[in-house]
Amino acid sequence: MVECREIVDTVKQEAALAGLGDTTAEANMPNIVLDEDGKVCDVCTDMQAEFAKNPGGRPPKRAGLIIAALIGGTGLAITSICVPFVLPALRRVCLPYVPATTTQLANVTTALQGRAGTRPSLVDIGSGDGRIVIQAARSGFVAHGVELNRWLVYYSRWSAWRGGVRGQATFARKDLWKSDMSKFNNVVIFGVEQMMSQLETKLEKELVEGSVVVACRFKFPTWKPVKEVGVGVDTVWRYQR
């Protein structure tokens, strides 16, 4: 008996020829299937006739494939952009991106008064869109931003280039807990309450004597600030090491 696979292949070949406009397809299509003894196989003949009626449809058109590819590519691009903003919520200590207000930026500048000496170094931990780093560079600091979100790092570098301070304002995609703070004598942090105790311990070990730390939104748990600027959510605290 003719194998069913052969029947399916025969019908698919006939359907492909019909799709190409081959006028000989119908003429060449076998209507009767014979077994090895040359006798008519009714089962195989019926199966071939059924497959001929419903061969499984035509392959998708090229336009459909292009549209599907565009939709899939767009979805992948959106996902790759959104994931870095969502990942912080999955970390043990969540440090989300929350843009600083204009008042907070002004208060940070006030808290850093008197620190712009001979090429002072400054690091902004969780630098976000880079505004604090760029503002510090314009004030005379050699400023550096540490940020885990690659898109914010790219945007910050572009903003520094656009603002003409690319040489004084640099940015790196790096985990703050793996960053060495000992080479900076000024630190700015827009932190969250859950991280301040751990960060206090880290800075105590790494910062040199005389360094200044400016904390925004949340105070350190045991350090005593030497200066407080602003009120409410715009308050910043200056600490002297």
Side-chain angles (χ1 to χ4, degrees):
M1 181 178 293
V2 177
E3 295 289 341
C4 295
R5 180 69 262 171
E6 297 179 20
I7 297 173
V8 174
D9 292 342
T10 300
V11 174
K12 286 185 176 181
Q13 183 179 8
E14 299 293 340
L17 292 173
L20 295 174
D22 192 329
T23 57
T24 64
E26 186 175 353
N28 294 333
M29 181 175 179
N31 296 321
I32 298 176
V33 180
L34 303 179
D35 60 19
E36 295 179 352
D37 298 328
K39 297 181 180 180
V40 176
C41 177
D42 295 333
V43 175
C44 295
T45 301
D46 293 341
M47 288 181 63
Q48 180 159 320
E50 183 63 28
F51 276 115
K53 294 177 182 178
N54 184 19
R58 296 182 178 180
K61 295 182 179 180
R62 181 176 298 179
L65 293 175
I66 293 175
I67 293 174
L70 289 174
I71 294 175
T74 301
L76 182 61
I78 293 174
T79 300
S80 65
I81 293 174
C82 293
V83 164
F85 291 91
V86 177
L87 283 180
L90 306 179
R91 297 172 65 86
R92 183 168 59 89
V93 178
C94 175
L95 184 59
Y97 166 58
V98 180
T101 66
T102 302
T103 302
Q104 287 170 340
L105 290 173
N107 290 344
V108 169
T109 300
T110 301
L112 288 171
Q113 283 181 352
R115 297 295 297 175
T118 305
R119 293 184 64 80
S121 59
L122 177 144
V123 61
D124 181 15
I125 299 176
S127 55
D129 57 16
R131 285 188 295 159
I132 289 179
V133 174
I134 293 172
Q135 177 177 272
R138 289 171 176 165
S139 300
F141 291 89
V142 178
H144 182 68
V146 175
E147 172 60 52
L148 202 56
N149 187 320
R150 64 167 57 89
W151 300 113
L152 291 175
V153 171
Y154 296 153
Y155 175 79
S156 298
R157 290 172 178 171
W158 176 80
S159 297
W161 170 82
R162 188 166 176 261
V165 291
R166 185 175 59 176
Q168 295 76 40
T170 59
F171 300 89
R173 180 177 179 265
K174 197 171 184 180
D175 189 333
L176 72 91
W177 304 112
K178 299 177 182 178
S179 301
D180 180 15
M181 302 298 169
S182 62
K183 54 189 175 182
F184 303 102
N185 49 31
N186 296 278
V187 178
V188 178
I189 171 66
F190 275 77
V192 293
E193 188 174 10
Q194 295 84 350
M195 69 180 290
M196 300 308 286
S197 177
Q198 186 178 352
L199 182 61
E200 180 180 275
T201 302
K202 175 180 173 63
L203 295 178
E204 276 185 345
K205 294 178 179 179
E206 298 181 10
L207 292 182
V208 299
E209 185 178 353
S211 298
V212 165
V213 181
V214 176
C216 311
R217 298 196 181 109
F218 293 96
K219 295 192 292 184
F220 287 101
T222 63
W223 286 356
K224 302 300 181 182
V226 297
K227 187 174 184 179
E228 182 175 323
V229 182
V231 294
V233 296
D234 294 324
T235 305
V236 302
W237 297 268
R238 171 171 167 166
Y239 300 88
Q240 188 81 38
R241 301 307 306 143

